[in-house]
Amino acid sequence: MTKTSPPTPPNQPSAIFGFLGCLAVFASAFCFYFSTVVIRWSRDVVTIDSAYFAFFRFLLGFIVVCTIMALRRQGPVPKRYHLLVGRTLGNCIAVYCFYQAVRYTSVAEANILNMTYPIFVAILSWVLLRQQRDPVALAMVVVAVAGVWLILRPGNMGLGLKSLWGIGSGVSAALAILYLNLSRQYHDANTVLFYMFGLGSVLMFLFFRQHFFWPDGRELYYLALCGGVGIAGQFLITLGFRYVTAVEGGVISSTRILLAAMLGPWLVAEPPLGPVGWIGALLIFGANVVLTLRKGR
């Protein structure tokens, strides 16, 4: 009697890693949002330039990643230097512009404008990454951007030159995300973070050292808190993008809009969203659900 082979089980590890990748990107969105909350809290207590917040974040991150690599006895293994440098430059510009947007506008507006980057990621991915062309994902990006527009309501928010900091952070973040997605195909997470934090610290010091000083206890507290949650977000998004595409990760990250809408009134005393704003928030949430389900399949 011939035995029948049991059916091959589905590729469960792939589905699990895909889900964990989405979860890591979502957690990074919360960390990035909370770092802007810390900057807003500090504004009424201490005087710290946006460049110093960015520099401290990169420096602290470099110390953390070096410690991890020393404990594992593993050094960086660079293979594509142009991808590592591109990731670093894009991230440096994005972080600085983002923190400047928080300084000159509101926390909600800064996060919303920064979250315009998924549309730029989608455009660049469609042009440069043929293997990641997904019409449904592109459509979901359009839906998410429509949600962002409804929340932003530029006629009521009064966009001006100061808002260009937020838009600039969105454009540069798109380039950084694209370079991250490409770089993770050749490098482990620690190698990417080693060069991003290390080279980022050097660049921030060279261009903005006139804004740096020896902090006292209160200043160090805000610098460390902002830098710590920002580093956590950086590790999470770097790990998560190993298992999600650039477009998927960009739209999942846009849940930061929901966090700003729900937590803003309690954390930074900003006005809550109106009905139109919540419609926009639900559009973004719906786009995230569709992409997550597609990734699970």
Side-chain angles (χ1 to χ4, degrees):
M1 182 175 180
T2 305
K3 292 185 179 180
T4 304
S5 300
T8 303
N11 190 7
Q12 290 297 329
S14 266
I16 292 173
F17 287 142
F19 172 76
L20 291 177
C22 293
L23 188 62
V25 176
F26 174 77
S28 73
F30 175 80
C31 291
F32 292 140
Y33 168 72
F34 190 72
S35 70
T36 63
V37 171
V38 174
I39 293 176
R40 178 49 53 91
W41 285 346
S42 72
R43 198 168 66 175
D44 299 327
V45 182
V46 295
T47 302
I48 303 175
D49 192 84
S50 304
Y52 201 2
F53 274 113
F55 169 77
F56 199 88
R57 170 173 162 174
F58 286 119
L59 181 61
L60 186 59
F62 184 68
I63 295 173
V64 170
V65 75
C66 285
T67 302
I68 293 174
M69 297 179 88
L71 292 174
R72 293 181 176 180
R73 296 182 179 179
Q74 295 177 346
V77 186
K79 297 178 181 178
R80 300 288 191 276
Y81 284 101
H82 65 287
L83 296 179
L84 294 170
V85 172
R87 167 63 177 164
T88 299
L89 291 175
N91 190 258
C92 282
I93 297 172
V95 171
Y96 177 70
C97 290
F98 187 30
Y99 287 174
Q100 283 286 86
V102 175
R103 178 181 181 184
Y104 290 112
T105 62
S106 67
V107 172
E109 181 176 339
N111 280 277
I112 290 169
L113 292 179
N114 178 255
M115 290 314 305
T116 59
Y117 79 80
I119 190 60
F120 298 108
V121 171
I123 293 172
L124 291 172
S125 296
W126 189 271
V127 173
L128 301 176
L129 305 179
R130 293 183 179 181
Q131 70 275 17
Q132 292 190 16
R133 289 182 177 179
D134 184 351
V136 175
L138 185 62
M140 290 302 102
V141 169
V142 174
V143 171
V145 171
V148 169
W149 186 259
L150 289 175
I151 294 175
L152 188 58
R153 293 199 296 169
N156 294 337
M157 192 167 283
L159 296 180
L161 293 177
K162 294 179 180 178
S163 300
L164 293 178
W165 287 113
I167 296 173
S169 73
V171 175
S172 52
L175 292 172
I177 289 295
L178 185 61
Y179 271 108
L180 171 60
N181 189 256
L182 292 172
S183 185
R184 288 296 278 125
Q185 298 176 24
Y186 301 97
H187 307 101
D188 62 276
N190 286 333
T191 296
V192 175
L193 293 172
F194 176 87
Y195 280 90
M196 190 197 72
F197 286 135
L199 184 56
S201 300
V202 173
L203 292 175
M204 295 302 298
F205 179 80
L206 290 177
F207 286 98
F208 300 104
R209 60 183 179 276
Q210 68 273 17
H211 298 293
F212 302 162
F213 55 87
W214 191 259
D216 60 22
R218 287 190 304 176
E219 293 162 342
L220 183 61
Y221 168 77
Y222 286 107
L223 286 168
L225 183 58
C226 178
V229 293
I231 290 166
Q234 207 70 67
F235 271 93
L236 287 167
I237 200 171
T238 302
L239 291 171
F241 264 83
R242 181 178 178 84
Y243 307 105
V244 300
T245 67
V247 174
E248 287 170 338
V251 178
I252 294 171
S253 296
S254 67
T255 52
R256 200 190 319 157
I257 298 293
L258 295 176
L259 295 174
M262 292 186 294
L263 302 179
W266 287 274
L267 294 180
V268 290
E270 292 183 343
L273 288 179
V276 174
W278 274 112
I279 292 174
L282 291 175
L283 286 177
I284 296 171
F285 178 76
N288 290 337
V289 170
V290 171
L291 285 178
T292 302
L293 291 176
R294 285 175 62 81
K295 187 64 180 179
R297 292 199 300 271

